[in-house]
């Protein structure tokens, strides 16, 4: 299988002007074989030809942080703080258990959206209500296999009781409700490790490495140190990314003072003291952190996943981008889940990442440049996925995960500055072709591997029939709401010596 892109411009983040000269790019198997006259010379006679007409070939976009199990819930909730949002999004109740087909269809929904926009790889931190099973894991992985995207998938399950994960609740709740939240999930560590064995043995490295496994502990406050250590061991043995949400909200910072097990340390320091911060780890959000936390992350070579749209949707706060870049911390960009973005479109994430930090201070030399945002989008994502040597740029030998962007679209007409127009103007609608591992999966007109219209119709049917169970889940959440609200207000009022909200007078 070979494809020759003829007369394309090749994205180069080091170019200071223009979009480069037209050239040819040869893809053979799942990799880029050659660029320039060498590509033309080596192209086999039966290679598929893509006429570039001077359009721009870019590395595929990488969605560095995502949770597929709520793909069917976009737009479903109003903007709410994370802890209340989670209460409504994924209550741990049996009625929300998906069938394998439902898990398959919902997974593929967002994958189709990503491929249409030129996103070729995703890190899916998948949580399952009430818990994962081999059948559900297989359904998710099969969806990624069928649609043709590159996917790295982890099982994001808490192991501790709700009361261990949150501050103040034990004192706020009436006794009977407190008892309900003091029970840890029945699906414990051994069962979760069994699911990981299934994921890794069945799926890791499949389809020439297009499908792979990661590990996830959800967040350090949601699991025991022993389980976190075992996940780290799996990550080390198989070189898997390790996803950990850390200090997304102010409440999570307050938690460290409230629960004796943290001994007043931030969740970053706690994780570092366990010896578990590593270059394999993806710290997700990294908002309510101080300089000592960022120093620890930088020293360990840990990546950070920045999800600016989700952070605004849930009012979490603004991650201080420049403090991380100053320390050389690798940053990837992510949509986070489809219920908290609510599009699965990396172009809007890149645009917001390029804009929100401009109101972090008046020194405009320290505002993100378009070239930095693109670095996070491509190289940052590749490194976070542990594929830095194979993804993120267009070079011979690298994997052929590519998108072809029309330069005669309105976003690039007239062409003034390619990098700024990629970050500030493009919405995904100029993507005329998406290739993953050397295979064209979106040809500008349709997805080539699946019947999109049939899947959309099936999704409408399935999730229409599920409205009753979602309604039941909402009623279940309602009874907890007053207590969660009080918990959040209490945490918000605490002076912690830092602020990550905009225009907020408190500390
Ligand atoms: Zn997340």
């Amino acid at each position: 299988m070979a494809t020759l892109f003829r007369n394309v411009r090749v994205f180069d983040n080091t170019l200071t002007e223009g979009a480069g000269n037209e050239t040819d790019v040869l893809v053979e198997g799942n990799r880029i074989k050659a660029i320039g006259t060498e590509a033309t010379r080596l192209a086999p006679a039966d290679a598929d030809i893509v006429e570039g007409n001077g359009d721009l070939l870019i590395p595929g976009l990488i969605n560095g942080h995502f949770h597929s199990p709520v793909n069917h819930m976009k737009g479903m909730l109003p903007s709410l703080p994370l802890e209340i949002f989670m209460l409504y999004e994924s209550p741990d109740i049996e009625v929300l258990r998906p069938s394998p087909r439902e898990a398959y269809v919902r997974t593929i929904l967002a994958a189709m959206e990503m491929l249409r926009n030129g996103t070729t790889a995703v890190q899916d931190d998948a949580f399952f209500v009430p818990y994962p099973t081999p059948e559900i894991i297989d359904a998710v992985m099969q969806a990624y296999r069928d649609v043709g995207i590159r996917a790295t998938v982890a099982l994001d399950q808490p192991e501790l009781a709700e009361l261990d994960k949150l501050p103040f609740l034990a004192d706020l709740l009436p006794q009977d409700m407190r008892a309900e939240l003091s029970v840890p999930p029945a699906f414990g560590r051994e069962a979760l490790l069994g699911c990981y064995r299934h994921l890794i043995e069945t799926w890791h490295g499949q389809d020439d490495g297009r499908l792979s496994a990661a590990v996830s502990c959800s967040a350090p406050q949601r699991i025991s140190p022993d389980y976190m250590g075992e996940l780290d061991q799996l990550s080390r043995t198989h070189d898997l990314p390790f996803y950990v949400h850390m200090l997304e909200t102010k409440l999570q910072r307050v938690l460290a003072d409230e629960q004796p097990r943290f001994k007043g340390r931030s969740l970053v320091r706690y994780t570092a003291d366990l010896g578990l911060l590593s270059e394999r780890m993806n710290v997700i959000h990294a908002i309510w952190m101080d300089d000592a936390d960022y120093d620890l992350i930088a020293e360990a070579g840990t990546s950070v996943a920045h999800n600016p749209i989700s952070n605004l949707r849930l009012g979490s706060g603004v991650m201080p981008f420049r403090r991380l870049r100053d320390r050389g911390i690798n940053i990837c960009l992510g949509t986070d889940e489809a219920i908290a973005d609510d599009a699965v479109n990396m172009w809007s994430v890149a645009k917001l990442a390029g804009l929100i930090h401009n109101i972090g201070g008046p020194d405009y030399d320290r505002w993100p440049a378009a070239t930095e945002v693109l670095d996070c989008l491509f190289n940052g994502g590749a490194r976070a996925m542990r594929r830095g040597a194979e993804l993120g740029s267009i070079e011979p030998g690298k994997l052929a995960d590519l998108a072809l962007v029309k330069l005669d679209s309105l976003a690039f007409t007239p062409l003034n500055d390619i990098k700024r127009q990629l970050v500030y103007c493009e919405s995904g609608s100029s993507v005329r072709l998406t290739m993953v591992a050397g295979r064209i999966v979106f040809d500008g007109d349709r997805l080539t591997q699946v019947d999109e219209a049939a899947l959309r119709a099936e999704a409408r049917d399935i999730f229409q029939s599920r409205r009753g169970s979602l309604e039941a889940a909402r009623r279940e959440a309602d009874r907890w709401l007053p207590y969660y609200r009080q918990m959040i207000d209490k945490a918000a009022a605490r002076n912690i010596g830092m602020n990550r909200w905009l225009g907020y007078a408190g500390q």
Side-chain angles (χ1 to χ4, degrees):
M1 185 173 65
T3 302
L4 182 68
F5 290 93
R6 227 165 19 200
N7 303 319
V8 290
R9 297 168 204 275
V10 174
F11 173 78
D12 177 353
N13 209 7
T14 64
L15 277 187
T16 52
E17 232 173 70
N21 297 323
E22 290 183 20
T23 187
D24 292 353
V25 175
L26 176 64
V27 169
E28 227 175 48
N30 64 353
R31 289 184 188 267
I32 298 162
K33 172 92 173 169
I35 300 173
T37 50
E38 191 74 351
T40 327
R41 192 174 64 77
L42 291 175
D46 61 350
D48 290 332
I49 306 289
V50 175
E51 291 295 348
N53 304 321
D55 287 340
L56 182 72
L57 198 61
I58 61 170
L61 281 60
I62 296 174
N63 189 351
H65 181 58
F66 183 62
H67 305 275
S68 66
V70 281
N71 284 349
H72 57 299
M73 292 175 75
K74 50 175 59 176
M76 196 166 268
L77 288 178
S79 294
L80 292 165
L82 174 79
E83 292 79 13
I84 293 179
F85 198 87
M86 285 177 73
L87 193 59
Y88 282 90
E89 160 193 41
S90 53
D92 184 11
I93 56 175
E94 181 59 34
V95 68
L96 290 182
R97 182 194 293 274
S99 70
R101 184 66 191 176
E102 186 179 338
Y104 177 93
V105 170
R106 75 185 183 195
T107 305
I108 223 164
L109 273 183
M112 295 193 299
E113 187 171 350
M114 287 188 267
L115 290 176
R116 280 187 161 275
N117 288 322
T119 295
T120 52
V122 60
Q123 298 206 91
D124 184 1
D125 189 26
F127 55 81
F128 296 99
V129 176
Y131 51 80
T133 62
E135 294 71 31
I136 295 295
I137 293 168
D138 291 348
V140 169
M141 298 306 291
Q142 190 66 44
Y144 285 132
R145 167 176 276 171
D146 290 351
V147 78
I149 201 169
R150 186 177 301 282
T152 298
V153 180
L155 311 174
D156 168 341
Q157 298 297 132
E159 189 209 8
L160 299 183
E162 188 79 350
L163 285 188
D164 289 326
K165 301 185 265 177
L166 297 165
F168 310 129
L169 263 191
D171 295 330
L172 294 169
L173 287 166
Q175 199 174 359
D176 56 329
M177 294 178 86
R178 186 163 62 228
E180 278 186 65
L181 294 195
S182 55
V183 184
F187 202 79
R189 176 167 46 154
E190 286 312 314
L192 287 170
L193 290 170
C195 285
Y196 268 112
R197 271 194 297 280
H198 176 78
L199 173 67
I200 293 168
E201 283 167 13
T202 314
W203 292 101
H204 184 55
Q206 285 292 308
D207 289 46
D208 277 337
R210 182 165 64 79
L211 304 174
S212 58
V215 295
S216 169
C217 74
S218 188
Q221 72 274 20
R222 297 176 190 149
I223 45 112
S224 65
D226 284 353
Y227 181 51
M228 200 169 179
E230 297 204 51
L231 291 178
D232 178 66
Q233 194 53 49
L234 275 179
S235 155
R236 189 186 304 268
T237 304
H238 301 281
D239 194 21
L240 313 179
F242 186 172
Y243 307 146
V244 187
H245 294 73
M246 271 200 225
L247 294 170
E248 177 175 2
T249 64
K250 181 175 179 181
L251 179 141
Q252 292 169 3
R253 182 128 208 137
V254 170
L255 178 73
D257 294 327
E258 288 299 312
Q259 293 209 350
R261 65 187 157 128
F262 298 117
K263 301 192 176 81
R265 296 166 294 176
S266 79
L267 292 169
V268 179
R269 165 59 71 185
Y270 167 80
T271 305
D273 287 351
L274 291 172
L276 299 178
L277 269 189
S278 75
E279 76 285 353
R280 286 168 277 106
M281 191 169 270
N282 283 208
V283 165
I284 301 151
H285 303 303
I287 297 170
W288 292 84
M289 292 187 181
D290 58 23
D291 286 346
D293 294 325
Y294 295 125
D295 286 343
L296 287 170
I297 287 172
E299 265 167 44
T302 301
S303 292
V304 165
H306 181 34
N307 311 282
I309 294 183
S310 163
N311 296 157
L312 287 193
R313 181 79 155 85
L314 306 186
S316 303
V318 181
M319 183 197 85
F321 181 86
R322 184 58 60 197
R323 289 196 205 192
L324 281 77
R325 289 286 292 191
D326 280 348
R327 288 169 169 78
I329 294 171
N330 182 54
I331 301 173
C332 65
L333 302 180
T335 55
D336 208 347
E337 54 199 6
I339 187 176
D341 184 303
D342 303 55
V344 191
N345 184 332
M346 288 303 299
W347 296 101
S348 44
V349 172
K351 179 167 182 169
L352 190 59
L355 294 176
I356 183 89
H357 305 291
N358 297 356
I359 49 173
D363 182 356
Y364 57 86
D365 290 333
R366 295 177 63 74
W367 297 352
T371 187
E372 290 181 288
V373 175
L374 294 169
D375 179 50
C376 295
L377 186 57
F378 299 130
N379 294 316
R383 270 181 65 188
M385 272 184 101
R386 313 286 299 149
R387 307 300 285 268
E390 297 191 292
L391 293 172
S393 60
I394 302 178
E395 295 170 61
K398 285 206 164 186
L399 288 164
D401 287 13
L402 304 164
L404 189 57
V405 176
K406 270 185 294 202
L407 291 187
D408 76 343
S409 65
L410 288 170
F412 298 95
T413 304
L415 187 62
N416 296 311
D417 182 292
I418 191 73
K419 286 186 261 185
R420 286 188 207 119
Q421 282 167 279
L422 283 167
V423 172
Y424 303 128
C425 307
E426 176 54 19
S427 63
S429 60
S430 309
V431 172
R432 53 168 273 208
L433 178 149
T434 306
M435 170 179 273
V436 179
R439 182 199 285 158
I440 295 171
V441 288
F442 171 62
D443 68 5
D445 194 25
R446 60 179 199 100
L447 295 164
T448 63
Q449 305 298 303
V450 290
D451 184 340
E452 184 183 355
L455 284 160
R456 280 193 270 114
E458 187 178 358
R460 277 192 292 275
D461 286 348
I462 291 176
F463 295 111
Q464 180 61 32
S465 72
R466 288 299 247 150
R467 291 200 80 83
S469 42
L470 287 169
E471 205 36 59
R474 194 163 303 170
R475 280 195 302 277
E476 163 65 14
D478 278 344
R479 74 188 175 106
W480 300 99
L481 178 62
Y483 307 102
Y484 276 66
R485 176 77 200 242
Q486 286 178 57
M487 168 184 77
I488 282 173
D489 289 348
K490 243 178 122 143
R494 175 79 56 90
N495 184 341
I496 58 165
M498 72 164 79
N499 175 41
R500 297 279 181 263
W501 286 312
L502 296 176
Y504 178 69
Q507 282 269 298

